[in-house]
Amino acid sequence: MYLFHTEADRRAMLESIGAASMEEILHQQIPENARFDRTLDLPPAVSEMELQREVVRAAAENASAVSHVCFMGAGAYDHFVPAAVDAIASRGEFFTSYTPYQAEVSQGNLQAMFEYETLVTQLTGLDVSNASLYDGGSAAVEAVIMALSVGKGRKRVVTAATVHPEYRQILETYLHGLGCELVTAPLEADGTSSSVTELIDDQTACVLIQHPNFFGRLEEVAEISAAAHAAGALVVQVFDPISLGTLKRPGDLGADIAVAEGQCLGNPLAFGGPYLGVMACRNELVRRLPGRIAGQTVDRRGNRCWVLTLQTREQHIRREKATSNICSNQTLLALRATVYLSLLGPQGLQETAEHCYRKTRFAQQQIESLQRFSLPFTGPVFKEFVVKDHQGDVQGLMAAMLEQGYLAGIPLGTWYPELQDCYLMAVTERRTRAEIEAFGQALSNVPSSGVVAGA
């Protein structure tokens, strides 16, 4: 361990605060019953070779998209990552740089941010993007707070029950201290929140909608946008970046701000992160956009170069007036997204989206053929859909499928009590026809209790 304070330094600091030792400070600050006064119960030290063997053994106990066939989604997906993404992102100049500030950021990193932002605007159909946020959930909340800041006193936020439930939980936490009203449109029988337009009034600052929604169902975003704009409210759309290979862009549907979880763009699942918050907006909102915005310009010699620009809400500028103090971003993951999108191009993204759509439909057909299951929500879906287990034993089903080598889905009862007998599954381009057929066969092999829920 590197300790840069010498013994003399520590003595000088203790003398300056009138303490005789660190132990004296700790005893003053930590209650007696909270102190740990015995030796840690750790095994004896081992060699590097033995330690590696133990770490590999412990890691093998995890079930992952590498060890199992993955049909889990709900915001994090098992998409294919080309080897070139790892090769480029692991270059030292990218891999080792932390989030730099204006005075020290290199031209290479600035260009990477600029190209990422350019690709995001092309992807979303909006005018400007920042250089990323922490993840999709925090991006959604930042977008809502951004809309509130331009709402001229409006304190009402309308959201849909079909927006990712964890995003809504984060939003509720943030809005708790802001004196804002959060209204949630209920889940309709078809798996959408079509009644969201009925909740919009002249006090509504923004509407938060997800399309495709948390259940994979497509929402009527254009209709919702028109209703919101007629009432003077903004529209924040959560979107799936891969879906834009086949669906209309948020900007084309009337969204004013678009946000997404960018994990699907060349970033690994990695047991839950770190992830990438994507965000873009219309040009007239650019001065409310949180985080970093890289711009392209020329230097005094006329050479093309890049700068950080319009950081009106950075922590070191007008902090007291800021509606957000986000100042970090996910540059390395944004770089991976940039490389990924550059490699695929528009045609590759379209092909990936079409594979997801067709394979999802094939998986639906496989499951619909099994007597134990049904699909409770009708209508078109993208990449995800809800499955109802008529025996109501979702947890037992997931455990049985795990033993057969499948991450079968996400139980929905945690967030939606009315869907206690349902789970959410996702099908990406990585799933083969053989895997989907074998998955259907494995589902049919799970022992049946013979009990039908609700019978």
Side-chain angles (χ1 to χ4, degrees):
M1 179 183 291
Y2 173 66
L3 297 173
F4 57 88
H5 290 136
T6 65
E7 186 58 33
D9 292 336
R10 285 191 282 273
R11 277 200 305 273
M13 286 188 284
L14 288 169
E15 288 174 4
S16 69
I17 61 174
S21 66
M22 279 298 296
E23 287 70 25
E24 179 183 316
I25 298 172
L26 293 175
H27 278 272
Q28 290 174 351
Q29 301 299 324
I30 302 175
E32 186 71 34
N33 60 359
R35 294 174 198 161
F36 189 81
D37 59 356
R38 59 182 171 80
T39 305
L40 287 173
D41 183 19
L42 295 175
V46 296
S47 68
E48 181 180 352
M49 185 170 64
E50 291 170 315
L51 180 61
Q52 279 189 353
R53 186 182 299 126
E54 173 58 20
V55 169
V56 170
R57 184 205 61 75
E61 294 183 5
N62 291 316
S64 71
V66 174
S67 62
H68 291 59
V69 180
C70 181
F71 289 93
M72 297 177 83
Y77 304 96
D78 182 28
H79 284 291
F80 176 69
V81 179
V85 175
D86 288 331
I88 294 174
S90 63
R91 288 176 61 101
E93 58 269 42
F94 292 125
F95 200 69
T96 61
S97 61
Y98 83 120
T99 300
Y101 289 91
Q102 174 74 41
E104 52 198 5
V105 63
S106 70
Q107 283 291 295
N109 272 312
L110 283 171
Q111 183 181 357
M113 290 182 198
F114 179 80
E115 293 187 356
Y116 164 79
E117 292 170 9
T118 302
L119 287 167
V120 170
T121 58
Q122 292 174 345
L123 190 66
T124 59
L126 291 168
D127 303 311
V128 60
S129 163
N130 64 17
S132 77
L133 296 168
Y134 297 130
D135 54 26
S138 60
V141 173
E142 288 287 339
V144 169
I145 295 175
M146 182 178 163
L148 283 166
S149 73
V150 297
K152 297 181 179 177
R154 296 186 179 207
K155 293 288 186 179
R156 182 182 171 93
V157 175
V158 176
T159 186
T162 51
V163 172
H164 196 304
E166 291 180 342
Y167 290 14
R168 288 187 285 117
Q169 288 175 341
I170 301 169
L171 179 61
E172 191 174 349
T173 300
Y174 271 70
L175 295 186
H176 178 72
L178 296 178
C180 298
E181 180 188 13
L182 179 62
V183 183
T184 303
L187 172 64
E188 301 295 331
D190 64 353
T192 70
S193 283
S194 54
S195 63
V196 69
T197 54
E198 300 170 11
L199 301 175
I200 302 170
D201 62 18
D202 59 3
Q203 291 304 304
T204 302
C206 75
V207 177
L208 176 64
I209 191 79
Q210 182 170 344
H211 168 71
N213 70 27
F214 181 67
F215 304 115
R217 286 281 283 112
L218 307 187
E219 300 273 7
E220 296 294 339
V221 180
E223 181 181 316
I224 294 168
S225 297
H229 292 157
L234 298 181
V235 174
V236 178
Q237 182 191 330
V238 181
F239 66 98
D240 178 334
I242 298 297
S243 76
L244 300 184
T246 186
L247 299 179
K248 285 187 176 179
R249 302 178 298 177
D252 299 332
L253 294 172
D256 301 286
I257 309 171
V259 295
E261 172 50 66
Q263 175 271 325
C264 58
L265 300 174
N267 291 299
L269 284 167
F271 296 99
Y275 284 166
L276 170 66
V278 178
M279 189 173 194
C281 69
R282 299 195 184 281
N283 195 46
E284 53 267 35
L285 302 173
V286 66
R287 291 190 177 276
R288 305 282 180 172
L289 191 63
R292 293 157 177 266
I293 305 170
Q296 180 177 271
T297 184
V298 292
D299 64 14
R300 63 181 178 178
R301 300 181 184 87
N303 298 318
R304 184 188 184 202
C305 62
W306 295 269
V307 296
L308 286 178
T309 185
L310 290 177
Q311 300 176 81
T312 56
R313 292 161 33 138
E314 278 273 15
Q315 66 174 6
H316 52 288
I317 302 174
R318 302 177 65 199
R319 186 174 187 178
E320 73 284 0
K321 296 182 179 178
T323 52
S324 169
N325 278 303
I326 287 287
C327 61
S328 296
N329 63 352
Q330 299 282 55
T331 301
L332 184 62
L333 302 185
L335 173 75
R336 293 181 65 95
T338 305
V339 176
Y340 177 85
L341 288 169
S342 301
L343 289 170
L344 263 66
Q347 183 177 343
L349 188 66
Q350 180 180 350
E351 291 174 358
T352 302
E354 289 176 351
H355 277 297
C356 292
Y357 173 76
R358 290 171 183 164
K359 291 180 177 181
T360 300
R361 184 64 195 130
F362 181 60
Q364 284 183 306
Q365 292 168 347
Q366 293 291 303
I367 292 173
E368 281 180 308
S369 68
L370 303 175
Q371 189 176 8
R372 177 172 171 174
F373 307 101
S374 65
L375 309 183
F377 298 148
T378 57
V381 299
F382 179 80
K383 201 165 76 178
E384 290 184 291
F385 59 95
V386 175
V387 180
K388 181 174 183 177
D389 176 11
H390 289 289
Q391 294 183 12
D393 184 20
V394 173
Q395 295 292 349
L397 180 71
M398 296 296 107
M401 292 298 287
L402 187 66
E403 289 187 2
Q404 295 191 61
Y406 296 96
L407 300 174
I410 309 286
L412 290 171
T414 302
W415 301 298
Y416 301 90
E418 68 273 32
L419 300 178
Q420 195 72 38
D421 54 356
C422 297
Y423 65 94
L424 183 68
M425 60 177 291
V427 185
T428 69
E429 80 285 359
R430 276 176 57 89
R431 299 286 71 82
T432 66
R433 181 184 181 91
E435 285 177 337
I436 296 171
E437 288 177 334
F439 179 74
Q441 185 62 46
L443 280 174
S444 67
N445 290 337
V446 175
S448 171
S449 66
V451 177
V452 177

